[in-house]
């Protein structure tokens, strides 16, 4: 099902909703269309170009967000499916400080890794095996998580996401 990106009144991306929900917001004048696609949505009386990006006409105060759920798919998305030790295609997730050595299962201690690095490292610390991280792992921003859950990014969304989410 087609989705639309919802921007706050300030143009910050907020969330992704089904296109029909986006149309309802526009018809209720709670949002305006920023970008539309060529696809038409038909109602009983009229046809509308399906929006791909809408902007709320009022400002939504975004509450402090919960941390994005930590799972394999989200870690792979954050790390671009690349091993964070050598840059090869990742196949596993690795605990930087192994769990057997007291490492926690948290965003800051979990990275995507290729099989050879994962095998080489085993239950050892980085300096013990001469590996280093290409960048410090951190929790992704909420929007990255939204994009991961949707699975694809419409080209119209990219200018709005580029500022924050996808570089997280
Ligand atoms: Zn590797």
């Amino acid at each position: 099902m087609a989705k639309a990106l919802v921007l706050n009144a300030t143009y910050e991306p907020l969330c992704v909703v089904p296109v029909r929900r986006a149309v309802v917001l526009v018809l209720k004048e709670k949002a305006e269309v920023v970008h539309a696609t060529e696809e038409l949505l038909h109602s009983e009386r009229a046809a509308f170009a399906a929006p791909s990006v809408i902007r709320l006409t009022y400002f939504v105060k975004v509450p402090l967000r919960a941390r994005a759920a930590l799972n394999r798919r989200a870690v792979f998305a954050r790390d671009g499916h690349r091993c964070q030790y050598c840059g090869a295609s990742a196949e596993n997730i690795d605990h930087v400080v192994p769990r057997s050595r007291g490492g926690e299962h948290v965003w800051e201690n979990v990275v995507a890794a290729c099989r050879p690095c994962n095998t080489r490292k085993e239950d050892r610390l980085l300096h013990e095996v001469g590996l280093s991280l290409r960048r410090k792992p951190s929790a992704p921003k909420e929007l990255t998580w939204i994009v991961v859950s949707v699975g694809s990014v419409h080209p119209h969304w990219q200018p709005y996401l580029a500022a924050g989410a996808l570089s997280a």
Side-chain angles (χ1 to χ4, degrees):
M1 188 186 190
K3 312 263 189 189
L5 179 67
V6 180
L7 303 176
N8 210 339
T10 52
Y11 286 93
E12 280 172 300
L14 279 180
C15 61
V16 174
V17 297
V19 162
R20 287 199 172 271
R21 170 83 186 130
V23 170
V24 168
L25 289 169
V26 171
L27 291 178
K28 287 185 173 172
E29 298 183 343
K30 289 184 174 173
E32 60 177 28
V33 176
V34 178
H35 289 287
T37 65
E38 291 180 357
E39 190 191 331
L40 286 178
L41 291 175
H42 297 275
S43 73
E44 282 174 24
R45 293 186 208 158
F48 306 92
S52 55
V53 181
I54 62 169
R55 172 178 168 249
L56 297 179
T57 50
Y58 55 97
F59 177 71
V60 173
K61 197 170 173 195
V62 181
L64 207 64
R65 289 160 168 151
R67 300 192 109 194
L70 173 56
N71 60 36
R72 181 189 165 94
R73 188 178 174 198
V75 170
F76 272 46
R78 181 197 65 183
D79 293 345
H81 297 261
R82 291 279 148 201
C83 174
Q84 295 302 293
Y85 302 118
C86 74
S89 185
E91 296 164 89
N92 296 83
I93 64 168
D94 184 66
H95 290 93
V96 179
V97 176
R99 302 208 77 177
S100 62
R101 306 280 290 262
E104 285 184 84
H105 188 63
V106 293
W107 280 107
E108 291 79 3
N109 193 46
V110 175
V111 293
C114 70
R115 202 173 306 240
C117 286
N118 199 233
T119 306
R120 181 174 157 201
K121 191 162 159 291
E122 292 183 312
D123 284 341
R124 289 175 289 184
L125 300 173
L126 294 182
H127 71 268
E128 295 171 346
V129 276
L131 286 172
S132 59
L133 284 169
R134 309 197 127 203
R135 59 177 180 174
K136 202 172 178 306
S138 59
K141 293 187 180 139
E142 174 84 350
L143 196 71
T144 309
W145 174 241
I146 292 169
V147 171
V148 168
S149 66
V150 173
S152 64
V153 174
H154 192 286
H156 287 170
W157 301 0
Q158 278 165 359
Y160 304 99
L161 301 180
L166 296 182
S167 61

